[in-house]
């Protein structure tokens, strides 16, 4: 059994923690599990029957232990596709996740640390185009998404399905968004991940191009946001910025940016 504790928002915490449609809504993981919404979904399902216990300071979730199944990226990509059209109804699903994340980044001044690196020009052009690209995502078919499909959260396996944990960002978003987010930490390249995703996605949900667009825009903006965040933290210490590129807390994020260059070119 795993015990997970969610702390209730306190005065001074970001307002998005108390917005029921924000990806950051603090209690969604508990509410979704208590409602048993994910007990029999296809593609992804939850860890199983969970109990939640609420007190004045927060919520404690008691959930079954999920064994690490070492799922490969293609299985996860297919399962994210199958999950996309599952009929999950819940009052407080997250929406506009990428737009809200970009708004938070804009509030913090954009990508100022990347502006001091060799990707400065590319970062600047992408930043200018963010409004258009986010609008483009809104025109894609909107589907169900996990919202935080990192390999660590796509943990277990049950038959053909992935048993996923960490459901705090469950919501809707453009087709391909979960896939693009996942691709950043996958070993596989984007093209085979898209193939696998299309195998899982219900027929008629979206075209390959729509999936590619959703995945590409999500992956690129997420990778820039993460690289900025990691580099800004490292930059706070002493020494030249360029010397920080190989720091173990920074290098993986820069590598994931580099891998994305072909996709970034398509956006520019
Ligand atoms: N049901 C579970 N079974 C096994 N491991 C779990 C389970 N829930 C959480 N964990 C472990 O704890 C880590 C953090 O839990 P998670 O729910 O993903 O919270 P966070 O929001 O901090 O990522 C996971 O990456 C995983 O290693
Ligand atoms: Mg997690």
């Amino acid at each position: 059994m795993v015990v997970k504790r969610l702390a209730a928002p306190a005065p001074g915490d970001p307002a998005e923690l108390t917005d029921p449609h924000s990806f950051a809504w603090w209690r969604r993981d508990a509410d979704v599990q208590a409602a048993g919404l994910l007990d029999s979904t296809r593609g992804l399902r939850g860890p199983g029957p969970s109990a939640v216990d609420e007190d004045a300071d927060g919520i404690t979730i008691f959930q079954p232990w999920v064994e690490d199944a070492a799922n490969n990226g293609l299985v996860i990509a297919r399962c994210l596709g199958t999950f996309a059209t599952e009929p999950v109804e819940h009052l407080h699903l997250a929406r506009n996740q990428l737009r809200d994340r970009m708004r938070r980044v804009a509030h913090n001044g954009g990508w100022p640390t990347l502006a001091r690196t060799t990707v400065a020009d590319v970062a600047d052009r992408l930043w200018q185009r963010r409004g258009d690209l986010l609008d483009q995502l809104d025109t894609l078919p909107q589907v169900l998404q996990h919202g935080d499909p990192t390999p660590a959260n796509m943990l277990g396996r049950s038959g053909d399905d992935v048993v996923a944990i960490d459901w705090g960002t469950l919501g809707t978003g453009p087709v391909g968004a979960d896939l693009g987010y996942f691709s950043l930490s996958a070993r596989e390249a984007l093209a085979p991940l898209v193939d696998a995703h299309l195998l899982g996605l219900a027929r008629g949900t979206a075209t390959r191009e729509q999936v590619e667009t959703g995945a590409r825009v999500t992956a690129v903006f997420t990778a820039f946001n993460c690289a900025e965040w990691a580099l800004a933290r490292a930059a706070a210490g002493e020494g030249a910025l360029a010397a920080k590129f190989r720091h173990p807390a920074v290098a993986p994020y820069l590598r994931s940016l580099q891998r994305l260059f072909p996709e970034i070119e398509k956006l520019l």
Side-chain angles (χ1 to χ4, degrees), residues 4 148 150 152-153 165-166:
K4 181 174 180 177
D148 189 16
T150 58
N153 289 340
I165 58 167
D166 205 359

Side-chain angles (χ1 to χ4, degrees), residues 176 180 190 211-221 263-264 266-267:
L190 189 57
V211 170
E212 285 171 345
T213 301
R216 180 181 301 133
V217 175
T218 305
V220 168
F221 279 115
E263 302 302 320
I264 296 171
K266 288 175 197 156
L267 289 185

Side-chain angles (χ1 to χ4, degrees), residues 157-239:
R157 183 76 164 266
S158 169
D160 282 342
D161 297 321
V162 164
V163 180
I165 58 167
D166 205 359
W167 286 96
T169 51
L170 174 67
T172 55
V175 73
D178 253 1
L179 183 72
Y181 190 105
F182 172 68
S183 73
L184 295 177
S185 40
R187 262 185 236 143
E188 297 81 1
L190 189 57
L193 291 175
V194 170
D195 290 339
H197 194 69
L198 287 165
L199 287 177
L201 200 63
R203 267 181 95 99
T205 306
T207 64
R208 169 180 288 268
E209 273 180 353
Q210 289 175 317
V211 170
E212 285 171 345
T213 301
R216 180 181 301 133
V217 175
T218 305
V220 168
F221 279 115
T222 305
F224 273 86
N225 289 344
C226 292
E228 167 64 32
W229 171 81
L231 201 54
R233 280 169 76 221
E238 264 177 45

Side-chain angles (χ1 to χ4, degrees), residues 29 33 45-47 63-64 66 146 148 152-155 163-167:
D29 198 0
Q33 297 208 45
R45 69 176 59 165
Q63 55 180 273
V66 176
H146 178 282
D148 189 16
N153 289 340
M154 302 290 109
L155 189 58
V163 180
I165 58 167
D166 205 359
W167 286 96

Side-chain angles (χ1 to χ4, degrees), residues 51-235:
V52 302
D53 189 10
E54 186 160 3
D55 56 66
D57 300 323
I59 307 178
T60 306
I61 308 172
F62 302 86
Q63 55 180 273
W65 169 266
V66 176
E67 204 59 53
D68 185 348
N71 290 315
N72 82 44
L74 299 177
V75 167
I76 293 169
R78 172 178 56 73
C79 287
L80 290 171
T82 304
F83 184 67
T85 54
E86 284 297 275
V88 169
E89 302 282 343
H90 184 58
L91 272 181
H92 297 148
L93 289 181
R95 49 189 190 218
N96 296 324
Q97 180 170 172
L98 188 60
R99 199 177 277 280
D100 285 354
R101 285 190 191 277
M102 294 308 291
R103 192 174 298 133
R104 184 196 271 187
V105 173
H107 181 75
N108 294 330
W111 298 324
T113 323
L114 293 176
R116 296 162 54 198
T117 71
T118 51
V119 299
D121 288 343
V122 174
D124 183 55
R125 286 181 60 196
L126 267 178
W127 184 257
Q128 302 303 335
R129 288 214 57 199
R130 73 189 189 284
D132 289 346
L133 291 167
L134 289 170
D135 289 347
Q136 214 174 311
L137 291 188
D138 289 344
T139 68
L140 297 176
Q142 303 294 306
V143 297
L144 191 66
Q145 64 179 27
H146 178 282
D148 189 16
T150 58
N153 289 340
M154 302 290 109
L155 189 58
R157 183 76 164 266
S158 169
D160 282 342
D161 297 321
V162 164
V163 180
I165 58 167
D166 205 359
W167 286 96
T169 51
L170 174 67
T172 55
V175 73
D178 253 1
L179 183 72
Y181 190 105
F182 172 68
S183 73
L184 295 177
S185 40
R187 262 185 236 143
E188 297 81 1
L190 189 57
L193 291 175
V194 170
D195 290 339
H197 194 69
L198 287 165
L199 287 177
L201 200 63
R203 267 181 95 99
T205 306
T207 64
R208 169 180 288 268
E209 273 180 353
Q210 289 175 317
V211 170
E212 285 171 345
T213 301
R216 180 181 301 133
V217 175
T218 305
V220 168
F221 279 115
T222 305
F224 273 86
N225 289 344
C226 292
E228 167 64 32
W229 171 81
L231 201 54
R233 280 169 76 221

